[in-house]
Amino acid sequence: MIDKNKTVCVTGADGFIGSHLTQMLLRDGYKVRALAQYNSFNNWGWLEDVLNECPECASRLEVVTGDVRDANFCRELIKGCGTVFHLAALIAIPYSYVAPDSYVDTNIKGTLNMCQAARDEGIDRLIVTSTSEVYGTAQYVPIPETHPRQPQSPYSATKIGADAIALSFYNAFELPVVVARPFNTYGPRQSARAIIPTIISQIASGMRTIKVGDLTPTRDFNFVEDTCRGFIALANAENIEGKEINIATGTEISMADTLATIARVMNATVDFEVDPARLRPSASEVRRLCGDNSLICSITDWRPQVSLEEGLRRTAEWFTKPENLAKYKAGIYNR
């Protein structure tokens, strides 16, 4: 159980899911130490929006800037914390083809540093964030936690490595770690390297020929609030240390049908054009993802609550606000 008398730490809190998780924890009354990656602009990423949307939360939020690639920093970061949510990672799959070494440093070494720090500081529970990409193209569906791992991109390979590091610390040192494995999360604040925001931002910018990648793969889409509720449910569940646990809806939809739904939700008449730059190498493309959520449903009261159409509507509403859309470069493909 999350101890409300102790500070909760969230790494990657300046990112998409991390900022939503931080906001949810704050609204639930927790004290949060949020890690934003250090930069000389003193910019806190999406945490800036969290404070704008929840000014009453400021008294319980401590923002720290730094980098999980530094082991000593990680130890200092979590001193005095109870539960630690480790979300800091490099996540863009296309960029992992260009700069795989940086993914090893951040995703594998960063997770190692957090595990060592958590062991040294005696934290109550460490939630390490995995990804459905570790499964690769489904050999069968729905995909359970026992499904074989298939490293189809440098990104997924580093996440497989990070998961293994975390579980090794449970087996070797009894570190109270849980590997949370969310399937494809979407919603407000998502980076434009993902398909849903790139489509919505193009439509919201007035484009009527929408550039896309491969429209045939299927995905299991989680609205970001459901993903964050899953994280918190796993932090509060008993006797689950050392487990890998999917956060999934158990449904799948093709990219083509997703885009048609977005166009309908936004009342837009558009054409779609395949952009070769947005295509993954053929053997690297994950063709099908549909997660088995029976484990998380059996050990917690978590259930997905937001339908895809409702989630897309809420996401589109956020992106179409001028102050939000201005933060995106809809005409430029972001790896």
Side-chain angles (χ1 to χ4, degrees):
M1 299 289 290
I2 303 177
D3 187 344
K4 282 202 171 184
N5 295 315
K6 296 181 181 178
T7 298
V8 176
C9 182
V10 179
T11 73
D14 51 341
F16 164 47
I17 300 175
S19 65
H20 282 279
L21 177 60
T22 298
Q23 188 169 12
M24 188 173 288
L25 288 164
L26 290 168
R27 286 180 166 163
D28 286 349
Y30 296 102
K31 295 177 293 183
V32 180
R33 184 175 299 157
L35 172 63
Q37 187 172 33
Y38 173 82
N39 62 86
S40 60
F41 302 103
N42 198 26
N43 183 278
W44 295 345
W46 289 119
L47 287 173
E48 309 275 358
D49 289 52
V50 169
L51 289 171
N52 289 335
E53 294 175 21
C54 187
E56 69 277 13
C57 296
S59 63
R60 283 179 281 106
L61 175 63
E62 176 190 1
V63 179
V64 177
T65 58
D67 197 315
V68 295
R69 292 174 296 180
D70 188 281
N72 183 65
F73 169 79
C74 291
R75 284 192 296 273
E76 293 298 317
L77 173 69
I78 65 172
K79 281 185 182 298
C81 292
T83 300
V84 177
F85 295 93
H86 176 46
L87 286 82
L90 287 175
I91 60 171
I93 294 167
Y95 188 59
S96 78
Y97 304 138
V98 178
D101 192 61
S102 61
Y103 283 68
V104 171
D105 282 348
T106 300
N107 297 352
I108 296 179
K109 186 178 178 183
T111 299
L112 171 62
N113 290 340
M114 289 301 298
C115 288
Q116 289 177 322
R119 181 189 178 206
D120 290 346
E121 295 302 317
I123 58 92
D124 298 332
R125 179 170 289 175
L126 172 64
I127 307 291
V128 170
T129 307
S130 182
T131 169
S132 56
E133 287 283 326
V134 303
Y135 296 126
T137 298
Q139 297 181 15
Y140 46 86
V141 295
I143 300 170
E145 290 80 359
T146 54
H147 187 282
R149 297 341 183 225
Q150 301 176 106
Q152 290 180 222
S153 65
Y155 163 69
S156 66
T158 62
K159 295 299 281 186
I160 292 170
D163 295 350
I165 287 289
L167 294 172
S168 77
F169 267 68
Y170 170 74
N171 290 319
F173 310 117
E174 297 184 340
L175 182 71
V177 63
V178 176
V179 175
R181 185 164 293 129
F183 277 62
N184 302 84
T185 302
Y186 71 99
R189 305 184 198 138
Q190 188 173 17
S191 69
R193 52 92 205 161
I195 189 163
I196 287 176
T198 197
I199 296 304
I200 291 177
S201 62
Q202 287 181 76
I203 294 175
S205 297
M207 301 177 187
R208 290 299 172 259
T209 299
I210 309 303
K211 294 183 178 181
V212 296
D214 192 343
L215 296 180
T216 59
T218 68
R219 294 292 184 264
D220 184 332
F221 285 115
N222 275 306
F223 189 61
V224 65
E225 289 181 6
D226 281 337
T227 295
C228 292
R229 288 191 306 100
F231 273 104
I232 294 172
L234 293 179
N236 282 313
E238 296 181 355
N239 302 318
I240 61 169
E241 287 79 6
K243 294 186 180 296
E244 304 169 82
I245 304 170
N246 291 339
I247 305 174
T249 69
T251 63
E252 62 184 317
I253 184 172
S254 71
M255 295 297 96
D257 288 342
T258 302
L259 303 187
T261 305
I262 292 171
R264 184 175 70 252
V265 165
M266 297 184 72
N267 295 315
T269 301
V270 295
D271 296 316
F272 299 108
E273 176 183 295
V274 174
D275 178 3
R278 299 169 191 256
L279 297 173
R280 297 191 199 181
S282 58
S284 186
E285 178 63 79
V286 174
R287 309 301 314 178
R288 188 181 187 190
L289 287 173
C290 179
D292 184 344
N293 63 14
S294 58
L295 179 55
I296 190 172
C297 290
S298 69
I299 59 179
T300 75
D301 60 1
W302 180 89
R303 303 291 185 276
Q305 294 183 1
V306 181
S307 70
L308 180 61
E309 184 143 346
E310 171 64 12
L312 290 175
R313 183 189 64 76
R314 290 165 61 177
T315 303
E317 285 179 354
W318 184 89
F319 271 91
T320 51
K321 292 179 180 178
E323 64 270 25
N324 295 329
L325 186 61
K327 298 172 183 176
Y328 290 80
K329 300 176 179 69
I332 300 175
Y333 174 51
N334 181 11
R335 289 181 180 271

